[in-house]
Amino acid sequence: MSGIASVPSYVVMQPTTLCNLDCVYCYLPHRSADRRMPVAVAEAVAAAVAPWATAGRFSVVWHGGEPLAAGREHLAALIAPFGPDVEHHVQTNATLIDDAWCAFFAEHRVRVSVSVDGPRERNDERVTRAGRPAYDRIRRGIGALRRHGLPFSALAVVSRPAPGLATELYDYFLELGAEVLGVNIEETEGVNTRTNARDAAAVTAFWAELVAAWRRAPRIHLREVEWSLRYAAAVLDGTADGLLPRRLDPIPTVGHDGSVVVLSPELAGFTDARYGDFSSGNVLTTPLGEILAGAARTPWVGEFLAGVEACRSTCPYFGFCGGGHAANRYFEQGRFDGTETEHCRNSKIRLLEGVLEHARDHQSPAA
């Protein structure tokens, strides 16, 4: 893996900066303001996406704020310029989902991922703007999805790994009916300045326990665990070098105003005295393909690529993670050319070690 690919596998779109919740660990800087994406921005992105989508599977991910806060009419107008070859995904807190939204998802073939952290007592930091628990509203939204037979994924944030939690979470999402589950250990990122330093043994044990829960009833696609197992198998087969792409996916995030931030959606909306607003261009003035072709010349991106090379030369886990994420380096270290972060430790190193720990504890005795 070296440099940045000129063609992404998906684009992240911000239909509005507004979110109707005020989660304690949220990283978003402008979630109290309703700054909506003009249709002209979607049209510009769609023009660039069209040839990429006809060449292979391509996704547009609607991510806020809370994307549904843009309203059905406006979101439909933003989706309209994209052709039939594009897959649409939405990451939502589910509190606004009702029968009308379910009909919208079905009509526009939008795949839904819900942000929910597990049972009621695990959602104490997902709150409304008035500071009230959002859990009942989240469950009502999920209930609507299930009533309409719409499949959904789930994304859970874990702030305090502890014994028994992984099993509890897996059983919950199994009962909930999620088809795919992603698990994020809370990150120090954006406006969330809480430390994400965690006890190494506790985090490793959490991941090992999650593997054990999944193996007992492997009916959910468990994002992190399945990738770890695939990597471990490739190492044993001697094919690990072929797992990572040759170049980094640029993951362009198109902000509500058309500005494009590559590599880390979490950087969108922030500014820095050294790096400016982190954008590599704006689709209202420059075609997206042209922006991506020149993205490596963005000063902070060049610094990040130097950090990736430092990881390659110093970290035995490089083949597993490919050099980490730009936003985690910036928000933890204040720059992009550092190496190991707390995020690396929690969600890469200890993840893989947890998977291997489970494998060691459950290996068959020698004949």
Side-chain angles (χ1 to χ4, degrees):
M1 178 185 289
S2 179
I4 301 176
S6 58
V7 176
S9 58
Y10 64 100
V11 171
V12 180
M13 301 280 282
Q14 186 183 49
T16 177
T17 57
L18 180 66
C19 186
N20 59 322
L21 297 188
D22 195 21
C23 301
V24 175
Y25 49 67
C26 184
Y27 67 88
L28 292 167
H30 305 300
R31 60 185 186 269
S32 62
D34 188 6
R35 302 172 183 173
R36 298 192 182 188
M37 176 180 283
V39 173
V41 170
E43 291 172 340
V45 175
V49 162
W52 301 336
T54 56
R57 182 177 180 183
F58 195 90
S59 299
V60 172
V61 180
W62 299 94
H63 199 300
E66 167 51 50
L68 306 193
R72 285 186 296 278
E73 183 177 347
H74 189 61
L75 192 56
L78 294 175
I79 289 175
F82 294 92
D85 296 322
V86 173
E87 291 182 3
H88 291 277
H89 300 249
V90 63
Q91 185 66 46
T92 175
N93 60 41
T95 60
L96 300 176
I97 296 177
D98 55 14
D99 292 340
W101 270 112
C102 288
F104 178 96
F105 298 146
E107 177 185 355
H108 296 281
R109 297 182 299 163
V110 176
R111 303 184 182 199
V112 180
S113 178
V114 173
S115 300
V116 57
D117 299 336
R120 181 185 302 275
E121 60 273 16
R122 302 296 180 186
N123 282 266
D124 57 341
E125 295 187 325
R126 284 194 178 275
V127 295
T128 67
R129 297 213 153 268
R132 299 189 181 93
Y135 183 71
D136 288 340
R137 294 173 61 186
I138 295 171
R139 284 303 301 251
R140 279 198 297 271
I142 294 171
L145 292 172
R146 295 184 62 167
R147 199 165 57 246
H148 286 266
L150 295 175
F152 63 94
S153 302
L155 181 63
V157 174
V158 172
S159 296
R160 297 173 291 277
L165 175 58
T167 301
E168 177 187 350
L169 291 180
Y170 188 79
D171 289 347
Y172 173 84
F173 286 104
L174 200 60
E175 181 277 329
L176 195 65
E179 292 193 342
V180 180
L181 174 61
V183 178
N184 288 348
I185 305 294
E186 182 183 341
E187 302 170 38
T188 300
E189 207 165 53
V191 298
N192 178 27
T193 58
R194 303 195 306 188
T195 180
N196 61 339
R198 298 288 184 268
D199 177 74
V203 178
T204 302
F206 170 84
W207 289 117
E209 182 185 324
L210 188 60
V211 180
W214 174 74
R215 287 193 66 190
R216 285 194 297 271
R219 298 197 297 274
I220 298 177
H221 288 293
L222 202 52
R223 188 181 64 182
E224 289 79 14
V225 168
E226 291 185 23
W227 164 246
S228 302
L229 292 172
R230 184 181 171 199
Y231 174 76
V235 170
L236 293 174
D237 291 342
T239 58
D241 287 346
L243 279 182
L244 292 175
R246 296 297 92 190
R247 292 182 178 273
L248 290 168
D249 193 317
I251 317 176
T253 296
V254 182
H256 69 96
D257 59 353
S259 60
V260 179
V261 173
V262 298
L263 297 173
S264 282
E266 299 84 0
L267 291 170
F270 289 92
T271 58
D272 180 273
R274 287 182 60 203
Y275 308 108
D277 64 2
F278 300 105
S279 72
S280 295
N282 192 298
V283 297
L284 292 177
T285 57
T286 308
L288 180 57
E290 187 176 326
I291 292 172
L292 298 183
R297 294 192 294 272
T298 306
W300 75 263
V301 175
E303 186 178 296
F304 171 71
L305 293 176
V308 170
E309 292 308 309
C311 284
R312 186 199 306 274
S313 64
T314 61
C315 182
Y317 296 88
F318 181 84
F320 178 60
C321 79
H325 301 292
N328 296 111
R329 294 189 191 185
Y330 173 72
F331 289 115
E332 287 192 33
Q333 301 174 345
R335 55 186 305 111
F336 292 96
D337 55 1
T339 53
E340 188 175 307
T341 64
E342 291 294 345
H343 173 71
C344 291
R345 298 182 188 106
N346 291 333
S347 298
K348 303 296 182 182
I349 296 172
R350 290 161 193 163
L351 164 62
L352 186 57
E353 290 178 349
V355 170
L356 297 176
E357 179 179 294
H358 171 83
R360 285 192 297 268
D361 291 345
H362 293 81
Q363 63 184 346
S364 301

